[in-house]
Amino acid sequence: MRYLIGDVEFNPAASEIISHGRSTHLQPQVSSVLECLARHHGEVVSREQIFDEAWHGRHAGDECLTRCISLLRQHLHDRDQRHLIETIPRIGYRLTGSVQLCDAPGTPSQVVPFWRRALSGHSLRMLLFAGALLVCLSGWLIAAMIVY
């Protein structure tokens, strides 16, 4: 089962998120916290419930959960706005926004191959510039050889 949280695909089985074509592996506890919040999307999930589901009842301090939430906000590009993961003071957290199950058979993965990522943005412009320069230099050399 996979979730689409905003524009980020989350695969709990692989503990990974895919955002903007890039796959990022999550630490197991961070993945468990996100899975818990995604299962209870739109509901306020108490800290105790998160500890029970993500840590399976083992003792963990509040700072562990706070760190997991901070990492999730960073991975979900929600660090400053806090729109996707809402803190409910002294109670817990709520995952808001668009959350959909997206594990239909044959659903294409949004992972972009490495060569495609490498040829995007600035790298692509530099490659095109180098190619154009090479064509110009080749033409100049051929013209110079014909003249002499």
Side-chain angles (χ1 to χ4, degrees):
M1 175 180 313
R2 295 179 299 160
Y3 297 93
L4 189 62
I5 302 169
D7 62 349
V8 175
E9 184 180 325
F10 170 53
N11 182 351
S15 293
E16 74 174 346
I17 59 171
I18 301 168
S19 175
H20 305 295
R22 294 186 182 203
S23 175
T24 304
H25 182 75
L26 298 176
Q27 296 171 355
Q29 289 310 130
V30 175
S31 179
S32 295
V33 170
L34 182 55
E35 184 176 12
C36 174
L37 291 173
R39 267 198 313 267
H40 301 285
H41 163 254
E43 303 171 18
V44 175
V45 184
S46 70
R47 297 174 80 83
E48 292 77 21
Q49 184 176 357
I50 295 172
F51 284 129
D52 286 343
E53 291 186 28
W55 275 269
H56 307 290
R58 291 176 297 188
H59 178 70
D62 284 343
E63 60 278 350
C64 292
L65 179 56
T66 302
R67 181 178 169 279
C68 285
I69 295 294
S70 176
L71 287 170
L72 285 173
R73 285 182 173 141
Q74 181 181 352
H75 289 304
L76 297 173
H77 309 291
D78 192 37
R79 193 161 191 73
D80 295 326
Q81 295 111 8
R82 299 181 185 209
H83 292 296
L84 287 175
I85 301 177
E86 181 183 1
T87 301
I88 310 299
R90 294 184 297 277
I91 297 175
Y93 299 93
R94 174 176 33 213
L95 185 62
T96 60
S98 172
V99 176
Q100 302 170 3
L101 287 173
C102 63
D103 203 16
T107 302
S109 178
Q110 296 177 359
V111 176
V112 176
F114 171 76
W115 62 269
R116 178 80 182 227
R117 281 192 314 242
L119 295 179
S120 64
H122 182 69
S123 299
L124 181 59
R125 286 191 298 273
M126 291 300 292
L127 183 63
L128 289 174
F129 176 74
L133 185 61
L134 184 62
V135 168
C136 290
L137 287 175
S138 298
W140 179 75
L141 285 174
I142 291 172
M145 288 172 37
I146 291 174
V147 171
Y148 295 108

